[in-house]
Amino acid sequence: MKFYVCIKQVPDVNAPLQIRDGELLQDRDRMILNAYDASAVEESLVLTEEHGGKVEVVMVGPDKARETLRKALAMGADNGTMILTDRPDLDSTAYSRILAAFFKDKDYDFICCGKQAQDTDAGLTGSMLAEQLELPYVSNAVGLNYENEKLIVRRQGDAGQEIIELPSPGLVTCSNDMNEPRIPNLKGIMQSKKKPVDSITPEDLGIDIGSIELSTNILGFEEMPERETGKKFEGDPDEIAREVARLLDQEAGLV
Amino acid sequence: MNTILTYISVSDGKIKRSSLEVLSKCRLEAEKNGLKTAALIVDENASSLAEKVRPYGPSEVYIVEGSEFKNHLNSPVLKAVSGAMNTIQPKVMAFASTENSKDILGALAANQNAPALPDMSEFELTDKGVKGKRPVMAAKIISRVEAVGDPVIISVRSGSYDLIESPSEPQIKKLDFTVTEKEIKTTIREILTAAGDKVDLSEAQTIVAAGRGVRDEEGRKLIDELATVLNAGIGASRALTESGVYDPSLQIGQTGKVVSPQLYIAVGISGAIQHTAGMANSKVIVAVNKDPDAPIFDITDYGIVGDLYKVLPPFIEELKKLKSN
């Protein structure tokens, strides 16, 4: 069974960030493997460990994002491809077009993606890629099994969970609720240094990255409107509980 | 070309309020820009639902009906919506942001070669397309974004806009639809519906949410009681859905549902950004936490510092008293 996992390097959303003149200032040293992608890597590894097969990771990004690709290899992926670009403003459409060009002549059973990137939370690239490759897909997977050459995907829907059979070749986008991604051990880290990584450019895939005109753009950033800090009640539990209940009724009219 | 089309989300045979919020906003945008407002209903019983969107003023209601839509599966819905877009040629195709619309948004954008802006908290039409705002970085900040194109596909967070009635006499137009088994490719084997998952959290006016502090059967009973008194939906933080205490469909946060009720009561929830990303837009927030420094208190209107096991019983009793008066 051959898995490809599409991964992305993202800023750590837990790191402090600042906005100045509409620009987002972030600590560029705190770039990490997107948590949803880490779950996709983990799940592919678990399935190939059980049923046999290979896991290859692919990433679009700048050269300095290589450490993130190495992390996926240290987790246990067999090899990787780095599609190098320094262009920082690519949107989901651009990412999915580059990936679609990469996958055009590849053989695989399943492509796994994180369901969204944790910085933009857009969640578009996976299904855009599936549509371009004309693959059946399932999004927001919270569990995967493999039976009779099909992935049995547990998908979290609006109300309940759906158990969906996805034939090969197919694409699945993963939630981080499906597993706890392994932390690479020393052996994994040492081995990852010897694992093959192909470095290619979008131009190698027939895409002129400089001339891509984006149809969605970020115009700037602004702070969330601050919530006024309300009242904090400390003291006798019985008293403060009853007081807040009365205030909810009198002040907010919510009872 | 001259239409703003709103996708009407249907769940369990009922129209989701969030999609009517989007329709209300789209009608205002259409009037401002001299465009028509239309609604699209894709459902097993779509015809019977057309009447329900009339109060929100569409001039046309498009219907796609078929047994394929009984349970959500992306390929038939994608085919139905892209087919409708090919026929109607809307300037903007707008969705309420739900798990089911997220499922098809990217594929639809690729299919229509259209830009997509997901999870908007504000939007308006421009000469070139659509611009607006969307929360990013676990909803810590807002990104101002634009899409240039025709059509533009967007989805809108629930609670971003009010329902506005403006009844119309829409034309009901049925669109032809067929899909073969071969085209569908994926199969639903089973649907696991959460027990007691009666209140749709994304629509609930009041939510009681449980976090790590709720650690046993007694705590869950208190949550249930509080929810019953307030006629509230029950939600949970990731800690409690992952450990299996609450059903995963009840998870609120960056990974789970984004909610914006009138009243949100966070019980035993510390307030990590991954959780607040899903609830910070609630109108009034109450928190019960024994740690006075818990980050949740930064965004609460009424913060109760105390042990939930000691706070909730008198809180529930007092609420009951107030209700009966």
Side-chain angles (χ1 to χ4, degrees):
Chain A
M1 186 166 36
K2 175 75 181 273
F3 277 96
Y4 273 99
V5 185
C6 304
I7 62 173
K8 188 182 180 189
Q9 190 187 56
V10 296
D12 183 352
V13 293
N14 293 306
L17 46 85
Q18 248 190 316
I19 296 167
R20 201 178 295 153
D21 302 328
E23 296 271 337
L24 178 58
L25 307 176
Q26 306 177 80
D27 187 350
R28 287 278 151 195
D29 289 336
R30 283 185 70 171
M31 299 292 283
I32 55 169
L33 171 59
N34 179 34
Y36 303 96
D37 301 348
S39 283
V41 172
E42 173 67 28
E43 205 63 16
S44 313
L45 291 173
V46 169
L47 285 171
T48 50
E49 280 157 7
E50 198 181 327
H51 300 279
K54 290 230 176 296
V55 177
E56 180 160 345
V57 285
V58 53
M59 177 158 79
V60 180
D63 195 49
K64 62 177 193 283
R66 236 175 239 283
E67 50 174 352
T68 293
L69 191 81
R70 282 283 166 210
K71 179 173 180 195
L73 296 174
M75 286 173 73
D78 294 285
N79 55 331
T81 301
M82 186 77 209
I83 306 175
L84 291 163
T85 170
D86 283 324
R87 203 169 154 172
D89 59 344
L90 297 177
D91 64 2
S92 311
T93 299
Y95 276 114
S96 68
R97 285 196 180 142
I98 295 169
L99 289 168
F102 171 78
F103 282 113
K104 206 171 52 190
D105 59 355
K106 298 285 184 296
D107 273 328
Y108 48 84
D109 292 292
F110 298 102
I111 298 173
C112 291
C113 305
K115 70 163 177 169
Q116 64 203 50
Q118 65 195 108
D119 55 344
T120 63
D121 283 336
L124 296 169
T125 305
S127 73
M128 282 178 164
L129 178 60
E131 176 71 14
Q132 288 170 74
L133 296 172
E134 296 182 30
L135 295 176
Y137 69 94
V138 181
S139 70
N140 203 19
V142 293
L144 293 182
N145 277 307
Y146 184 66
E147 280 173 29
N148 303 322
E149 292 169 14
K150 283 179 175 173
L151 274 191
I152 312 303
V153 186
R154 194 148 52 89
R155 171 179 183 270
Q156 182 63 52
D158 281 309
Q161 295 187 343
E162 300 141 16
I163 311 292
I164 302 172
E165 294 180 9
L166 177 69
S168 159
L171 183 147
V172 58
T173 78
C174 299
S175 171
N176 57 343
D177 288 331
M178 60 189 348
N179 54 39
E180 281 296 328
R182 65 194 69 182
I183 295 169
N185 58 21
L186 191 63
K187 194 175 153 211
I189 293 168
M190 296 309 288
Q191 283 175 344
S192 75
K193 294 181 177 154
K194 289 182 212 133
K195 288 180 177 170
V197 175
D198 270 350
S199 295
I200 58 171
T201 64
E203 283 70 22
D204 295 334
L205 301 167
I207 291 175
D208 179 6
I209 194 89
S211 71
I212 288 186
E213 268 195 47
L214 300 174
S215 54
T216 65
N217 294 296
I218 295 172
L219 304 175
F221 294 92
E222 53 190 66
E223 306 279 357
M224 274 283 173
E226 285 256 338
R227 282 188 84 95
E228 268 179 54
T229 312
K231 292 175 224 157
K232 215 189 245 178
F233 299 81
E234 298 183 66
D236 178 55
D238 191 85
E239 263 173 44
I240 55 176
R242 289 179 198 277
E243 190 181 349
V244 171
R246 284 192 293 270
L247 289 173
L248 279 180
D249 187 38
Q250 291 157 10
E251 284 185 6
L254 286 167
V255 175
Chain B
M1 304 291 201
N2 60 356
T3 300
I4 302 183
L5 184 58
T6 303
Y7 180 88
I8 303 298
S9 302
V10 182
S11 163
D12 261 345
K14 279 198 292 243
I15 290 177
K16 277 185 169 265
R17 178 195 158 94
S18 49
S19 60
L20 297 175
E21 293 167 0
V22 179
L23 179 59
S24 299
K25 167 65 176 170
C26 285
R27 186 183 56 79
L28 295 180
E29 282 298 307
E31 281 172 10
K32 208 162 74 188
N33 293 281
L35 301 168
K36 284 200 292 187
T37 311
L40 170 65
I41 310 177
V42 178
D43 187 64
E44 192 185 17
N45 303 307
S47 307
S48 66
L49 295 165
E51 181 63 23
K52 298 271 193 330
V53 301
R54 202 175 68 82
Y56 306 96
S59 56
E60 273 129 5
V61 178
Y62 294 92
I63 302 286
V64 184
E65 216 162 37
S67 56
E68 296 84 356
F69 308 119
K70 186 173 189 307
N71 295 310
H72 172 85
L73 201 55
N74 55 36
S75 48
V77 178
L78 181 60
K79 191 174 180 198
V81 179
S82 55
M85 285 183 74
N86 294 341
T87 308
I88 301 161
Q89 301 275 318
K91 206 171 183 59
V92 176
M93 174 83 231
F95 293 80
S97 184
T98 66
E99 225 33 89
N100 289 351
S101 67
K102 279 180 194 169
D103 192 25
I104 62 159
L105 213 65
L108 183 65
N111 177 284
Q112 296 288 310
N113 196 19
L117 296 174
D119 273 315
M120 304 287 282
S121 55
E122 277 177 40
F123 74 93
E124 60 182 306
L125 267 62
T126 65
D127 307 344
K128 293 178 291 181
V130 173
K131 70 171 185 183
K133 296 180 180 180
R134 54 188 307 271
V136 295
M137 302 295 287
K140 279 210 292 196
I141 55 168
I142 287 173
S143 169
R144 286 184 288 112
V145 291
E146 66 165 4
V148 177
D150 184 357
V152 174
I153 298 169
I154 63 170
S155 73
V156 183
R157 293 183 151 216
S158 76
S160 299
Y161 291 102
D162 292 329
L163 290 181
I164 306 167
E165 296 207 9
S166 170
S168 57
E169 289 301 332
Q171 288 182 34
I172 313 283
K173 295 182 177 170
K174 203 161 174 173
L175 300 174
D176 288 335
F177 179 77
T178 50
V179 65
T180 60
E181 247 177 67
K182 222 177 126 195
E183 285 175 294
I184 296 183
K185 292 182 190 164
T186 51
T187 348
I188 301 184
R189 190 187 268 194
E190 200 183 337
I191 308 245
L192 311 170
T193 322
D197 188 17
K198 291 282 184 287
V199 183
D200 183 346
L201 282 181
S202 53
E203 318 260 292
Q205 294 297 297
T206 305
I207 292 175
V208 175
R212 215 184 284 273
V214 178
R215 52 177 193 271
D216 53 17
E217 188 60 34
E218 190 198 340
R220 291 200 293 280
K221 253 174 71 185
L222 290 169
I223 295 290
D224 282 349
E225 264 183 69
L226 180 56
T228 309
V229 179
L230 292 169
N231 195 20
I234 294 178
S237 72
R238 186 164 171 224
L240 291 199
T241 53
E242 259 194 348
S243 59
V245 177
Y246 284 99
D247 189 85
S249 63
L250 304 183
Q251 185 181 321
I252 291 168
Q254 191 185 15
T255 315
K257 289 201 162 68
V258 174
V259 299
S260 50
Q262 295 295 308
L263 174 60
Y264 189 92
I265 305 184
V267 181
I269 290 179
S270 64
I273 54 163
Q274 283 80 359
H275 182 75
T276 58
M279 49 65 76
N281 263 337
S282 306
K283 186 108 186 288
V284 172
I285 301 175
V286 177
V288 181
N289 204 299
K290 63 182 175 195
D291 175 7
D293 298 322
I296 190 83
F297 288 127
D298 296 342
I299 59 164
T300 48
D301 300 283
Y302 302 96
I304 306 177
V305 182
D307 180 349
L308 69 96
Y309 291 88
K310 295 203 178 102
V311 169
L312 287 191
F315 188 60
I316 293 165
E317 196 187 278
E318 193 66 28
L319 289 171
K320 277 187 187 157
K321 232 194 282 174
L322 291 164
K323 280 231 151 177
S324 63
N325 284 343

